[in-house]
Amino acid sequence: VTIKKNEYTANDFYKEYGKKEWEESNVEQKKELVEDFINRRVSTLEATNIGLQNKPDIAKKLVDRYHVALVNVTYEELVAKPLVSDELLIKTEKYIIEERLLSHILIGHQAARTQNPANRTVDEAFLLAQKIGGELKNGASFVDYAIKHSEDPTVLQNEGKLDWITWGRTIPAFQEEAFLLTKGAYSRPVLTDFGYHIIFCEDIRPSEYSLLNEEELNEIIYAISRNTISSKLPQAAQQYDSTQFANYNLKYNDQSLQLILQEIEQQTNKNKISGQYKIDLIDLFNGLQNTGVVAMFDDKGYGVKWFAERLKMVPNGKHPQITNLESLKYAFNIIILQYLAIKEGYKNNIHNSYAYQKQRDQLYQSLLYDQYLRWLVNNSEEPDSSDVREYYRKNKDTKYLEPDKVAVREIKVLEKSLADSLLLELQYKADFIKLAEQYSKTNPSGGGSITPFTKGKYNQMGQAAFSLNVGEISDVITNLDYTYSIILLDELIPPEYIPIEKVYNRIESVVKRSNQQKAKVEGLKQLRYKYNVIINI
C-alpha cells in the first residue's frame, strides 16, 4: 500500500496484525484488516492536519501515555536488558532469521511430565531413542516409526510433524539441538521434561523476521531472548527500586502521612453511609490543607497535591486502595518510582531509543485515530423533522404497524370458589362491570378494564382473550400467580399505525446514529482520495 507517497510493505503490515493471523483469516477478514491498516494511517494524517493533537485534553492524554510508555521502556533498558546474556543474544541473532519444518518422536519415561508416563526408566528411554534414531538414519520410515513409537498424544493426527518453528517458540534444550540440524538430518536423543526427542529437520526457509531492518531485528532479538529471564525480573526490579530510593534519598514525613490517612478513613466512612465504597483520591488530595511536605527526594520537598497531579496519569479504575499506612506508602512509592523512571529515561537518553519512539508513534496513531472518528461523528448532520418523517414513511408498514389488539375487562379474585360463583351469576345475566367493581383485584374503579394488548401477553388470560368474540365471557382462568380470572372481550382492535408523535424521539435517535455511521464511512472514503491511497492488488 502507498499512502501519500509513503510505501508500506507486507512486513510493515505483519508488525501490527501478525503473519499467522493474516494466513488464518478468510477473504472477508483479510479485507477488513487491510481496511483497518489504511484507515488508521489516513485518519492520523487528517487528525494531525486539522490540529486535533493540539486540543488541550488530547495533548494531555498524549503526554500521559508517552510518560507511561517511557516508564516501561526505562525499566526494560535498565532492569531487564542487563539480565539477558550476550551469548543468548548472539545465538538468537543467528537463528531468528530462519525457520525450520520439524518433526519429532517422543520416547517417555517414568519421571516424564506427561499425563500417562511410560513404564520405563530414563536410561531405558535413552537406549530406545538411540536405537530408533540409528534405524531412522539407516533409512527406516519416519512416519511409520512415529506412529509406532512416539508417545506424543497428537501423533496419530500429525504423524509427528510440528509445523514450521521459529527460534524462541520451543523449550531451550529442544531448540538448541533442532537449530543445529541441516536439512534432512536427524538429531541425537534430546532430553526434556517430557522425555527423549528424536528431531527430524525436513526443510529450512527464511523467517518473517529476515525482512526486518537492523533496528527492528534487534528489538525482536531482545524480545525473544527476554523470555528466558522472566523469573529473574521481580527480584531485579525490587533491587532497582531500592537503589533508586537510596540514590535519590527518599524520606517520608510520617506526621503528614498520618494526616492524609485520617482524612482517607473519614471520607471512606462517610461514603459507606451513603452506599459508596470508593473515594476520589485526586479530589481528596487536592482538597487537603496544612499537610505540609509529604516526601523528600532529590533534595526537594513534595506535597500531597503533587501526588494528586501524578495520579491523574492513572485511570480511575486502577487507583490504589488505601486502608492503612503501609498501603498509603506503597501507593506513593509507585508514583515516585514512575516519576524517577521518567527522569532516568531522559537522563540515559532512552527517550530517543528506537523502542520508545516506536511506542510513541503507536500511541499517537491509536489516540488520533479514535479522536478523528469521534470528530467525524460530532460533525455529522443532525436530523431534522423532515428526516424523521421520511424515515417513518419508509418504515411505517414494517416497524410502526401495531398488530391486532384486544380490550378486555377482568374480574380477578383470590379463591376458586368465589370465581366459580361469580361465573354462575354472569351466566344468569348479572352485570359484569358491577361485579368487577365489587370483587375484582384488577382496576375495580374502572370496572376491571385493562389497557388493550397484543397476542403473547398475560399468558393464559391473554390466550383466552383472543379466543373470544366481542361481548363473550370466558370460563374461569387459573393464573400463574394462583389467582383466578374471568374476562369479558370488550373490543377487538384491528391493526393500526403507531402515531409518529409517539415514536418521534426514537426515530430521531436512529436517524442520528445512521448519519454518524454514514459520516464515518464517507469521511474515511474521502481520505483515500485526499492522501492518494494506492493498493497493490
Side-chain angles (χ1 to χ4, degrees):
V1 173
T2 304
I3 303 172
K4 201 182 176 183
K5 297 186 179 177
N6 291 319
E7 294 181 351
Y8 297 91
T9 66
N11 186 48
D12 295 317
F13 180 83
Y14 292 147
K15 277 186 281 185
E16 290 186 32
Y17 302 97
K19 188 174 183 180
K20 190 172 180 63
E21 182 185 351
W22 173 260
E23 289 173 345
E24 291 176 354
S25 299
N26 61 35
V27 173
E28 192 58 36
Q29 289 167 334
K30 285 179 176 178
K31 183 180 176 183
E32 288 173 6
L33 289 175
V34 174
E35 292 287 312
D36 187 65
F37 183 86
I38 294 169
N39 286 341
R40 287 180 178 277
R41 278 153 184 78
V42 293
S43 295
T44 304
L45 288 169
E46 185 64 8
T48 305
N49 186 45
I50 61 180
L52 291 184
Q53 75 281 9
N54 298 322
K55 287 182 66 181
D57 58 326
I58 298 174
K60 177 71 168 58
K61 280 183 184 177
L62 282 171
V63 170
D64 287 347
R65 293 185 186 187
Y66 291 163
H67 281 163
V68 171
L70 185 55
V71 170
N72 294 333
V73 177
T74 297
Y75 269 82
E76 279 295 328
E77 290 290 330
L78 302 183
V79 179
K81 265 192 179 177
L83 300 176
V84 180
S85 69
D86 290 340
E87 180 187 358
L88 181 57
L89 289 170
I90 291 167
K91 199 174 283 187
T92 303
E93 183 179 10
K94 179 180 179 182
Y95 292 121
I96 194 64
I97 57 174
E98 64 183 30
E99 57 186 7
R100 289 157 185 256
L101 185 58
L102 301 176
S103 301
H104 81 140
I105 294 173
L106 175 64
I107 306 300
H109 53 76
Q110 292 165 344
R113 204 175 74 193
T114 54
Q115 285 186 338
N116 300 301
N119 187 23
R120 65 173 74 91
T121 66
V122 175
D123 289 341
E124 288 169 343
F126 171 73
L127 291 173
L128 177 56
Q130 199 173 42
K131 176 176 177 293
I132 291 170
E135 291 174 7
L136 288 171
K137 288 174 185 176
N138 288 329
S141 166
F142 181 89
V143 172
D144 291 346
Y145 269 52
I147 291 171
K148 182 178 179 182
H149 296 289
S150 184
E151 283 150 14
D152 182 334
T154 65
V155 68
L156 293 179
Q157 287 81 44
N158 58 28
E159 298 178 338
K161 188 168 284 191
L162 297 174
D163 208 349
W164 288 96
I165 304 292
T166 52
W167 181 267
R169 281 190 54 200
T170 62
I171 49 182
F174 186 96
Q175 77 173 9
E176 290 276 351
E177 186 69 25
F179 277 79
L180 290 174
L181 297 175
T182 56
K183 181 177 176 178
Y186 293 94
S187 73
R188 59 183 177 79
V190 180
L191 181 62
T192 71
D193 291 345
F194 304 99
Y196 277 99
H197 304 259
I198 302 149
I199 309 167
F200 173 55
C201 179
E202 184 178 334
D203 202 359
I204 302 172
R205 71 183 185 189
S207 73
E208 61 182 294
Y209 304 123
S210 62
L211 299 173
L212 298 178
N213 62 41
E214 185 178 353
E215 286 180 325
E216 293 167 340
L217 188 59
N218 286 337
E219 186 184 21
I220 292 295
I221 289 167
Y222 166 69
I224 289 172
S225 302
R226 183 191 187 280
N227 292 333
T228 63
I229 53 97
S230 297
S231 60
K232 300 177 184 176
L233 280 174
Q235 186 178 352
Q238 193 174 18
Q239 180 61 48
Y240 175 81
D241 293 345
S242 299
T243 304
Q244 286 290 86
F245 289 148
N247 289 344
Y248 284 94
N249 196 24
L250 171 65
K251 289 185 176 65
Y252 282 110
N253 179 349
D254 287 338
Q255 186 179 356
S256 179
L257 290 178
Q258 285 294 351
L259 289 171
I260 295 169
L261 188 60
Q262 284 172 19
E263 189 64 32
I264 290 173
E265 288 172 349
Q266 287 175 13
Q267 189 62 49
T268 301
N269 291 332
K270 281 182 188 175
N271 283 6
K272 281 181 181 176
I273 293 170
S274 61
Q276 296 176 327
Y277 294 94
K278 284 204 79 172
I279 60 175
D280 189 323
L281 289 175
I282 296 173
D283 280 353
L284 187 142
F285 289 169
N286 279 323
L288 287 174
Q289 303 294 329
N290 305 319
T291 54
V293 172
V294 174
M296 287 281 298
F297 59 91
D298 199 22
D299 298 327
K300 293 177 189 152
Y302 297 86
V304 69
K305 288 182 174 59
W306 180 85
F307 286 93
E309 194 60 32
R310 305 300 299 179
L311 199 55
K312 288 178 182 177
M313 288 173 57
V314 183
N316 286 336
K318 294 187 178 180
H319 282 185
Q321 290 281 351
I322 297 171
T323 55
N324 52 34
L325 190 61
E326 185 182 358
S327 60
L328 178 60
K329 269 191 177 180
Y330 179 77
F332 283 178
N333 280 348
I334 296 296
I335 291 171
I336 292 169
L337 285 167
Q338 289 175 335
Y339 172 77
L340 295 179
I342 294 167
K343 192 178 178 76
E344 290 292 313
Y346 284 106
K347 183 173 149 187
N348 290 278
N349 205 35
I350 293 168
H351 65 295
N352 287 322
S353 67
Y354 172 77
Y356 174 65
Q357 290 299 325
K358 180 183 174 185
Q359 285 198 33
R360 270 184 66 110
D361 292 344
Q362 289 171 342
L363 290 168
Y364 184 85
Q365 178 179 280
S366 175
L367 183 59
L368 268 290
Y369 171 66
D370 291 338
Q371 292 299 325
Y372 181 67
L373 293 186
R374 192 170 297 174
W375 183 86
L376 286 174
V377 165
N378 291 339
N379 286 278
S380 62
E381 184 181 351
E382 287 288 333
D384 59 23
S385 60
S386 63
D387 298 323
V388 174
R389 293 186 183 284
E390 178 63 14
Y391 185 91
Y392 178 81
R393 186 187 65 76
K394 284 183 177 178
N395 296 278
K396 197 175 177 183
D397 292 329
T398 54
K399 293 186 178 180
Y400 306 113
L401 179 63
E402 287 195 320
D404 293 353
K405 286 184 184 177
V406 287
V408 302
R409 295 179 183 273
E410 178 184 30
I411 300 173
K412 182 186 239 183
V413 295
L414 302 179
E415 295 175 2
K416 175 77 161 53
S417 58
L418 177 58
D420 289 338
S421 174
L422 292 172
L423 179 62
L424 192 61
E425 288 190 41
L426 289 166
Q427 287 171 344
Y428 281 97
K429 307 303 180 183
D431 188 287
F432 192 98
I433 294 175
K434 285 183 179 178
L435 289 180
E437 288 172 344
Q438 187 175 355
Y439 294 103
S440 182
K441 300 292 181 186
T442 301
N443 190 18
S445 61
S449 178
I450 295 176
T451 303
F453 58 88
T454 58
K455 277 185 181 178
K457 287 197 172 183
Y458 298 119
N459 299 306
Q460 289 93 330
M461 191 270 277
Q463 290 177 21
F466 276 90
S467 68
L468 299 173
N469 294 316
V470 174
E472 272 190 325
I473 295 170
S474 72
D475 292 330
V476 174
I477 301 160
T478 303
N479 300 313
L480 294 178
D481 61 355
Y482 301 105
T483 59
Y484 302 90
S485 295
I486 304 166
I487 59 172
L488 164 69
L489 180 59
D490 251 357
E491 184 183 3
L492 182 60
I493 304 168
E496 60 183 356
Y497 293 108
I498 303 171
I500 189 170
E501 294 75 22
K502 283 192 175 182
V503 290
Y504 189 94
N505 290 340
R506 200 189 318 163
I507 294 175
E508 191 175 41
S509 296
V510 170
V511 175
K512 185 173 183 177
R513 284 197 299 272
S514 175
N515 287 352
Q516 290 172 345
Q517 183 59 29
K518 185 179 177 183
K520 280 201 288 189
V521 171
E522 289 299 317
L524 292 171
K525 189 176 178 182
Q526 287 170 16
L527 294 184
R528 297 292 184 93
Y529 298 104
K530 181 171 182 177
Y531 292 105
N532 195 24
V533 175
I534 302 168
I535 301 175
N536 183 349
I537 300 299

